[in-house]
Amino acid sequence: MTVPRHVAIVMDGNGRWAKARFLPRLMGHHRGVESARKVIRACSDAGVECLTLFAFSSENWKRPEDEVSGLMSLFVSALEREAAALQRHQVRMQFIGDRSAFSTELQDKIAQVEGMTAACGGMRLLIAANYGGRWDILQAAQTLAAQVVSGELALADMDEARFDAALSTGDVPTPDLFIRTGGERRISNFLMWQLAYAELYFTDTLWPEFDEASLQTAFADFARRQRRFGMTGDQVSGAKNA
Ligand code: IPE
Ligand code: IPE
Ligand code: MG
């Protein structure tokens, strides 16, 4: 079975999972961390090269204050709890997004785990936190524009490959498989540029219930797809007279 090199997931449905059980939304987020832990392990075992998880969007600040602060404490405690295990499994964790908006405590924890796992040679794990796809495109444009202004880069050399490299995902392959749990069929400002040719997979399963079997179902679906990248089916399958 063809395993996707890079899997990108919008982990959605924590709130509804909790609501259906008359629990506070934060309980759903706690369960969501457990799902993330299982999926990280399963992807690493399956030989996925890179896993990107959407943990907090640049728009999620609009949520009630207690939910936002609860999520921030959850990020800190999850990092404290998981750092050693990630290192043991050789998972290299990095955060993408504008981390300057986070508390110094959270920023320090992020830097600590990134440092601890920097030399790990296994799966790359990107956590998108205070991330927005438009923000990413904008910051890449600013970086490249600054290089053009300083004379370091000729405008004519600003091509797709250079732009891609300036994105926060610059040193990983573009996502092959996009998964969104929780039933919504939208991107919600996730990896806007990077998803150009990703296979999209949507499931109604709420994130706290998404487990290794759900992941295998998504992988099996992915493996059945023919990725044509603009070519004909015959060209891709290598049929004669393509
Ligand atoms: C996704 O679950 C997690 C975050 C956005 C942090 P939601 O909290 O969006 O869950 P629903 O969509 O309300 O069910
Ligand atoms: C997207 O989910 C962000 C994360 C999963 C972190 P949302 O639940 O915030 O997306 P919308 O608001 O329904 O589009
Ligand atoms: Mg949601």
Side-chain angles (χ1 to χ4, degrees):
M1 192 171 89
T2 321
V3 174
R5 291 179 69 190
H6 182 172
V7 181
I9 308 183
V10 177
M11 310 183 287
D12 196 21
N14 295 346
R16 279 163 288 162
W17 180 90
K19 198 172 177 191
R21 283 157 187 79
F22 306 100
L23 295 168
R25 291 179 58 88
L26 214 50
M27 282 300 293
H29 296 313
H30 274 272
R31 287 293 295 253
V33 172
E34 297 311 308
S35 287
R37 185 218 312 269
K38 285 184 218 155
V39 166
I40 292 165
R41 172 73 71 87
C43 282
S44 163
D45 289 349
V48 167
E49 283 172 46
C50 179
L51 172 65
T52 303
L53 298 177
F54 205 3
F56 191 86
S57 78
S58 43
E59 288 72 34
N60 287 146
W61 297 108
K62 296 178 199 159
R63 294 192 176 198
E65 219 176 281
D66 59 337
E67 182 169 346
V68 171
S69 62
L71 279 165
M72 295 301 143
S73 328
L74 185 59
F75 294 150
V76 172
S77 62
L79 284 170
E80 281 171 351
R81 213 151 22 92
E82 301 304 326
L86 290 171
Q87 196 186 35
R88 217 169 35 247
H89 288 95
Q90 283 299 302
V91 173
R92 180 172 161 206
M93 183 190 241
Q94 281 164 300
F95 275 67
I96 58 171
D98 180 8
R99 65 181 73 178
S100 68
F102 294 139
S103 68
T104 26
E105 186 193 19
L106 182 51
Q107 288 188 50
D108 289 351
K109 277 276 161 286
I110 291 172
Q112 193 189 332
V113 182
E114 285 181 338
M116 268 177 77
T117 63
C120 292
M123 188 177 78
R124 299 282 300 269
L125 174 61
L126 303 185
I127 303 292
N130 193 21
Y131 178 89
R134 290 179 175 175
W135 165 84
D136 203 359
I137 292 169
L138 197 58
Q139 68 78 26
Q142 280 171 344
T143 303
L144 294 176
Q147 291 174 4
V148 171
V149 169
S150 72
E152 206 181 315
L153 176 70
L155 186 56
D157 291 337
M158 188 170 148
D159 55 12
E160 285 192 14
R162 273 215 170 69
F163 202 94
D164 201 77
L167 293 164
S168 58
T169 49
D171 64 343
V172 296
T174 50
D176 302 294
L177 175 62
F178 164 94
I179 298 175
R180 183 174 186 139
T181 61
E184 312 295 351
R185 270 105 173 123
R186 54 180 173 249
I187 307 284
S188 298
N189 199 17
F190 195 24
L191 306 159
M192 297 294 297
W193 164 290
Q194 296 91 331
L195 291 174
Y197 256 109
E199 295 298 326
L200 307 180
Y201 180 86
F202 297 97
T203 172
D204 291 337
T205 305
L206 302 172
W207 180 248
E209 309 220 292
F210 192 87
D211 58 11
E212 177 156 12
S214 325
L215 185 74
Q216 290 307 333
T217 306
F219 282 4
D221 187 287
F222 171 81
R224 282 193 298 272
R225 308 227 189 147
Q226 186 186 47
R227 304 187 75 192
R228 290 192 282 275
F229 300 101
M231 290 177 281
T232 67
D234 284 348
Q235 280 178 302
V236 174
S237 64
K240 288 208 173 74
N241 309 317

